[in-house]
Coordinates of all heavy atoms in Angstrom, one line a residue:
L415 N -32.2 15.7 24.2 CA -31.7 17.0 23.7 C -30.3 17.2 24.2 O -29.4 17.6 23.4 CB -32.7 18.1 24.1 CG -34.1 18.0 23.5 CD1 -34.9 19.2 23.8 CD2 -34.0 17.7 22.0
A416 N -30.1 17.0 25.5 CA -28.8 17.3 26.0 C -27.7 16.3 25.3 O -26.6 16.8 25.0 CB -28.8 17.0 27.5
G417 N -28.1 15.1 25.2 CA -27.2 14.1 24.5 C -26.9 14.5 23.1 O -25.7 14.5 22.7
V418 N -27.9 14.9 22.3 CA -27.6 15.3 21.0 C -26.8 16.6 20.9 O -25.9 16.7 20.0 CB -29.0 15.4 20.2 CG1 -28.8 16.1 18.9 CG2 -29.5 14.0 20.0
A419 N -27.1 17.5 21.8 CA -26.3 18.8 21.8 C -24.8 18.5 22.1 O -23.9 19.0 21.4 CB -26.9 19.8 22.8
A420 N -24.6 17.7 23.1 CA -23.2 17.3 23.4 C -22.5 16.6 22.3 O -21.4 16.8 21.9 CB -23.2 16.5 24.7
A421 N -23.3 15.7 21.6 CA -22.7 14.9 20.5 C -22.4 15.9 19.4 O -21.4 15.7 18.7 CB -23.7 13.9 20.1
A422 N -23.2 16.9 19.1 CA -23.0 17.8 18.0 C -21.6 18.6 18.3 O -20.8 18.7 17.4 CB -24.1 18.8 17.9
L423 N -21.5 19.0 19.5 CA -20.2 19.7 19.9 C -19.0 18.8 19.7 O -18.0 19.1 19.0 CB -20.2 20.1 21.3 CG -21.1 21.3 21.7 CD1 -21.1 21.6 23.2 CD2 -20.6 22.5 20.9
A424 N -19.1 17.5 20.2 CA -18.0 16.6 20.1 C -17.7 16.3 18.6 O -16.6 16.2 18.2 CB -18.4 15.3 20.8
L425 N -18.8 16.1 17.8 CA -18.6 15.7 16.4 C -17.9 16.9 15.7 O -17.0 16.6 14.9 CB -20.0 15.5 15.8 CG -20.0 14.9 14.4 CD1 -19.4 13.5 14.4 CD2 -21.4 14.8 13.8
T426 N -18.3 18.1 15.9 CA -17.7 19.3 15.3 C -16.3 19.4 15.6 O -15.4 19.5 14.8 CB -18.5 20.5 15.7 OG1 -19.9 20.3 15.6 CG2 -18.2 21.7 14.7
A427 N -16.0 19.2 16.9 CA -14.6 19.4 17.4 C -13.7 18.3 16.8 O -12.6 18.6 16.2 CB -14.5 19.3 18.9
M428 N -14.2 17.1 16.8 CA -13.4 16.0 16.3 C -13.2 16.0 14.8 O -12.1 15.8 14.2 CB -14.0 14.6 16.7 CG -13.8 14.3 18.2 SD -14.4 12.7 18.6 CE -16.1 12.9 18.5
A429 N -14.3 16.4 14.1 CA -14.3 16.5 12.6 C -13.3 17.6 12.2 O -12.5 17.4 11.2 CB -15.7 16.8 12.0
R430 N -13.2 18.6 13.0 CA -12.3 19.7 12.7 C -10.9 19.2 12.8 O -10.0 19.5 12.0 CB -12.6 20.9 13.6 CG -12.1 22.2 13.1 CD -12.6 23.4 13.9 NE -13.9 23.7 13.6 CZ -14.7 24.3 14.5 NH1 -14.3 24.6 15.7 NH2 -16.0 24.6 14.2
A431 N -10.7 18.4 13.9 CA -9.3 17.9 14.1 C -8.9 17.0 13.0 O -7.8 17.1 12.5 CB -9.3 17.1 15.4
V432 N -9.8 16.1 12.5 CA -9.5 15.3 11.4 C -9.2 16.1 10.1 O -8.2 15.8 9.4 CB -10.6 14.2 11.1 CG1 -10.3 13.4 9.9 CG2 -10.8 13.4 12.4
R433 N -10.1 17.1 9.9 CA -9.9 17.9 8.7 C -8.7 18.7 8.7 O -8.0 19.0 7.7 CB -11.1 18.8 8.5 CG -11.8 18.6 7.2 CD -13.0 19.4 7.0 NE -13.9 19.3 8.2 CZ -14.3 20.3 8.9 NH1 -14.1 21.5 8.5 NH2 -15.1 20.1 10.0
S434 N -8.3 19.2 9.9 CA -7.1 20.0 10.0 C -5.9 19.3 9.4 O -5.0 19.9 8.8 CB -6.8 20.4 11.4 OG -6.3 19.3 12.1
G435 N -5.9 18.0 9.4 CA -4.9 17.2 8.8 C -5.0 17.2 7.3 O -4.0 17.3 6.6
S436 N -6.3 17.1 6.8 CA -6.5 16.9 5.4 C -6.1 18.1 4.6 O -5.8 18.0 3.4 CB -8.0 16.6 5.2 OG -8.7 17.8 5.2
L437 N -6.0 19.3 5.3 CA -5.6 20.5 4.5 C -4.2 20.4 4.1 O -3.8 20.9 3.0 CB -5.8 21.7 5.4 CG -7.3 21.9 5.8 CD1 -7.4 23.1 6.7 CD2 -8.1 22.1 4.5
A438 N -3.4 19.7 4.9 CA -2.0 19.5 4.5 C -1.9 18.4 3.4 O -2.8 17.6 3.4 CB -1.2 19.1 5.7
E439 N -0.9 18.6 2.6 CA -0.7 17.6 1.6 C -0.4 16.2 2.2 O 0.6 16.2 3.0 CB 0.4 18.1 0.7 CG 0.7 17.3 -0.6 CD -0.4 16.8 -1.4 OE1 -1.4 17.6 -1.5 OE2 -0.4 15.7 -1.8
P440 N -1.1 15.2 2.0 CA -0.8 13.9 2.7 C 0.4 13.2 2.2 O 0.8 12.2 2.7 CB -2.1 13.1 2.5 CG -2.7 13.6 1.2 CD -2.3 15.1 1.1
G441 N 1.0 13.8 1.1 CA 2.2 13.2 0.5 C 3.3 12.7 1.5 O 3.0 12.0 2.4
P442 N 4.5 13.1 1.3 CA 5.5 12.7 2.2 C 5.3 13.4 3.6 O 5.6 14.6 3.7 CB 6.8 13.1 1.6 CG 6.5 14.0 0.4 CD 5.0 14.0 0.2
V443 N 4.9 12.7 4.5 CA 4.6 13.3 5.8 C 5.9 13.3 6.7 O 6.5 12.3 6.7 CB 3.5 12.6 6.5 CG1 3.1 13.2 7.9 CG2 2.3 12.6 5.6
T444 N 6.1 14.4 7.3 CA 7.2 14.4 8.3 C 6.7 13.9 9.6 O 5.9 14.6 10.3 CB 7.9 15.8 8.4 OG1 6.8 16.7 8.4 CG2 8.9 16.0 7.3
V445 N 7.1 12.7 10.0 CA 6.6 12.2 11.3 C 7.6 12.7 12.4 O 8.7 12.2 12.5 CB 6.5 10.7 11.2 CG1 6.1 10.2 12.6 CG2 5.6 10.3 10.1
S446 N 7.1 13.7 13.1 CA 8.1 14.2 14.1 C 8.3 13.3 15.3 O 9.3 13.2 15.9 CB 7.5 15.6 14.6 OG 6.2 15.4 15.0
N447 N 7.2 12.6 15.6 CA 7.3 11.6 16.7 C 6.8 10.3 16.2 O 5.6 10.1 16.1 CB 6.4 12.2 17.8 CG 6.4 11.2 19.0 OD1 6.9 10.1 18.9 ND2 5.8 11.6 20.1
P448 N 7.6 9.4 15.8 CA 7.2 8.1 15.2 C 6.3 7.3 16.1 O 5.4 6.6 15.6 CB 8.5 7.3 15.0 CG 9.6 8.3 15.2 CD 9.1 9.4 16.1
G449 N 6.4 7.5 17.4 CA 5.5 6.8 18.3 C 4.1 7.1 18.1 O 3.2 6.2 18.1
D450 N 3.7 8.4 17.8 CA 2.4 8.8 17.6 C 1.8 8.1 16.4 O 0.6 7.7 16.4 CB 2.4 10.3 17.3 CG 2.1 11.1 18.5 OD1 2.2 10.5 19.6 OD2 1.8 12.3 18.4
G451 N 2.6 8.0 15.3 CA 2.1 7.4 14.1 C 1.7 5.9 14.4 O 0.7 5.5 14.0
A452 N 2.5 5.3 15.1 CA 2.3 3.9 15.4 C 1.0 3.7 16.2 O 0.3 2.7 16.0 CB 3.5 3.3 16.2
S453 N 0.7 4.7 17.1 CA -0.4 4.5 18.0 C -1.7 4.5 17.2 O -2.7 4.0 17.6 CB -0.5 5.5 19.0 OG -0.8 6.8 18.5
L454 N -1.7 5.0 16.0 CA -2.9 5.0 15.2 C -2.8 3.9 14.1 O -3.5 3.9 13.1 CB -3.2 6.3 14.5 CG -4.2 7.3 15.1 CD1 -4.3 8.5 14.3 CD2 -5.5 6.6 15.3
G455 N -1.9 3.0 14.3 CA -1.8 1.9 13.3 C -0.9 2.4 12.2 O 0.2 2.9 12.5
A456 N -1.4 2.4 11.0 CA -0.6 2.8 9.9 C -0.7 4.3 9.6 O -1.4 5.0 10.3 CB -1.1 2.0 8.6
G457 N -0.1 4.8 8.6 CA -0.2 6.1 8.1 C -0.5 7.2 9.0 O -1.5 7.3 9.7
A458 N 0.4 8.2 9.2 CA 0.1 9.3 10.0 C -0.4 10.4 9.3 O -0.3 10.5 8.0 CB 1.5 9.7 10.7
W459 N -1.2 11.3 9.9 CA -1.6 12.6 9.2 C -1.5 13.7 10.2 O -1.5 13.4 11.5 CB -3.0 12.4 8.6 CG -4.1 12.7 9.5 CD1 -4.8 13.9 9.5 CD2 -4.7 11.9 10.5 NE1 -5.8 13.8 10.4 CE2 -5.7 12.6 11.1 CE3 -4.4 10.7 11.0 CZ2 -6.5 12.1 12.1 CZ3 -5.1 10.2 12.1 CH2 -6.2 10.9 12.6
P460 N -1.3 14.9 9.8 CA -0.9 16.0 10.7 C -1.9 16.3 11.8 O -1.5 16.7 12.9 CB -0.8 17.2 9.7 CG -0.6 16.6 8.4 CD -1.4 15.3 8.4
G461 N -3.2 16.0 11.6 CA -4.1 16.4 12.6 C -4.3 15.4 13.7 O -5.1 15.5 14.6
R462 N -3.5 14.3 13.7 CA -3.8 13.2 14.6 C -3.7 13.5 16.0 O -4.4 13.0 16.8 CB -2.9 12.0 14.2 CG -1.5 12.2 14.7 CD -0.6 11.1 14.1 NE 0.7 11.3 14.5 CZ 1.6 12.1 14.0 NH1 1.2 12.9 13.0 NH2 2.8 12.3 14.5
R463 N -2.7 14.4 16.4 CA -2.5 14.7 17.8 C -3.8 15.4 18.3 O -4.3 15.1 19.4 CB -1.3 15.6 18.0 CG -1.0 15.9 19.4 CD 0.2 16.8 19.5 NE 1.4 16.2 19.2 CZ 2.2 15.5 20.0 NH1 1.8 15.4 21.3 NH2 3.3 14.9 19.6
R464 N -4.2 16.4 17.5 CA -5.4 17.1 17.9 C -6.6 16.2 18.0 O -7.5 16.2 18.9 CB -5.7 18.2 16.9 CG -6.7 19.2 17.3 CD -6.7 20.4 16.4 NE -8.0 21.0 16.3 CZ -8.3 21.9 15.4 NH1 -7.5 22.2 14.4 NH2 -9.5 22.4 15.5
F465 N -6.6 15.2 17.1 CA -7.7 14.3 17.0 C -7.7 13.4 18.3 O -8.7 13.1 18.9 CB -7.6 13.4 15.8 CG -8.6 12.2 15.8 CD1 -9.9 12.5 15.6 CD2 -8.2 10.9 16.0 CE1 -10.8 11.4 15.6 CE2 -9.0 9.9 16.0 CZ -10.4 10.1 15.8
L466 N -6.5 13.0 18.7 CA -6.4 12.1 19.8 C -6.9 12.8 21.1 O -7.5 12.2 21.9 CB -4.9 11.6 20.0 CG -4.5 10.6 19.0 CD1 -3.0 10.2 19.2 CD2 -5.3 9.3 19.1
V467 N -6.5 14.1 21.2 CA -6.9 14.9 22.4 C -8.5 15.0 22.4 O -9.1 14.7 23.4 CB -6.2 16.2 22.4 CG1 -6.8 17.1 23.5 CG2 -4.7 16.1 22.6
T468 N -9.1 15.5 21.3 CA -10.5 15.7 21.3 C -11.2 14.4 21.4 O -12.2 14.2 22.2 CB -11.0 16.4 20.0 OG1 -10.4 15.7 18.9 CG2 -10.7 17.9 20.0
G469 N -10.8 13.3 20.7 CA -11.4 12.0 20.8 C -11.3 11.4 22.2 O -12.3 10.9 22.7
G470 N -10.1 11.6 22.8 CA -10.0 11.1 24.2 C -10.9 11.8 25.1 O -11.5 11.2 26.0
S471 N -11.1 13.1 24.9 CA -12.0 13.9 25.8 C -13.4 13.4 25.6 O -14.2 13.2 26.6 CB -11.9 15.4 25.5 OG -10.6 15.8 25.3
A472 N -13.8 13.2 24.4 CA -15.1 12.7 24.1 C -15.4 11.4 24.8 O -16.4 11.2 25.4 CB -15.4 12.6 22.6
A473 N -14.4 10.4 24.6 CA -14.6 9.1 25.3 C -14.7 9.3 26.8 O -15.6 8.6 27.4 CB -13.4 8.2 24.9
A474 N -13.9 10.2 27.4 CA -14.0 10.4 28.8 C -15.4 10.9 29.2 O -16.0 10.4 30.2 CB -12.9 11.3 29.2
V475 N -15.9 11.9 28.4 CA -17.2 12.4 28.8 C -18.3 11.3 28.7 O -19.1 11.2 29.5 CB -17.6 13.6 27.8 CG1 -19.0 13.9 27.9 CG2 -16.7 14.8 28.1
A476 N -18.2 10.5 27.6 CA -19.2 9.4 27.4 C -19.2 8.5 28.6 O -20.2 8.1 29.2 CB -18.9 8.7 26.1
V477 N -18.0 8.0 29.0 CA -17.9 7.0 30.1 C -18.3 7.6 31.4 O -19.1 7.1 32.1 CB -16.4 6.5 30.2 CG1 -16.3 5.6 31.4 CG2 -16.1 5.6 28.9
A478 N -17.8 8.9 31.7 CA -18.2 9.5 33.0 C -19.7 9.7 33.0 O -20.3 9.5 34.1 CB -17.4 10.8 33.1
G479 N -20.2 10.2 31.9 CA -21.7 10.5 31.9 C -22.5 9.2 32.1 O -23.4 9.2 32.9
G480 N -22.1 8.2 31.4 CA -22.8 6.9 31.5 C -22.8 6.3 32.9 O -23.8 6.0 33.5
L481 N -21.6 6.4 33.5 CA -21.4 5.8 34.9 C -22.2 6.6 35.9 O -22.9 6.1 36.8 CB -20.0 5.6 35.3 CG -19.2 4.6 34.5 CD1 -17.7 4.5 34.9 CD2 -19.8 3.2 34.6
S482 N -22.0 7.9 35.9 CA -22.7 8.7 36.9 C -24.2 8.7 36.7 O -25.0 8.7 37.7 CB -22.1 10.2 36.9 OG -22.1 10.7 35.6
G483 N -24.6 8.6 35.4 CA -26.1 8.5 35.2 C -26.6 7.2 35.8 O -27.7 7.2 36.4
R484 N -25.9 6.1 35.7 CA -26.3 4.8 36.3 C -26.5 5.0 37.8 O -27.5 4.6 38.3 CB -25.2 3.9 35.9 CG -25.2 2.4 36.1 CD -26.0 1.4 35.3 NE -27.2 1.7 34.6 CZ -28.5 1.7 35.1 NH1 -28.7 1.4 36.3 NH2 -29.5 1.9 34.3
L485 N -25.5 5.6 38.4 CA -25.6 5.8 39.9 C -26.8 6.7 40.2 O -27.5 6.4 41.1 CB -24.3 6.5 40.4 CG -23.1 5.6 40.4 CD1 -21.9 6.4 40.9 CD2 -23.3 4.4 41.3

Side-chain angles (χ1 to χ4, degrees):
L415 296 188
V418 166
L423 287 178
L425 189 65
T426 317
M428 286 184 288
R430 202 171 283 153
V432 176
R433 235 175 315 128
S434 70
S436 78
L437 295 176
E439 186 43 41
V443 182
T444 37
V445 180
S446 50
N447 176 354
D450 268 13
S453 71
L454 260 180
W459 88 101
R462 75 190 180 282
R463 183 183 290 273
R464 192 167 153 194
F465 172 74
L466 287 177
V467 171
T468 47
S471 317
V475 167
V477 171
L481 291 180
S482 48
R484 191 73 335 272
L485 286 178

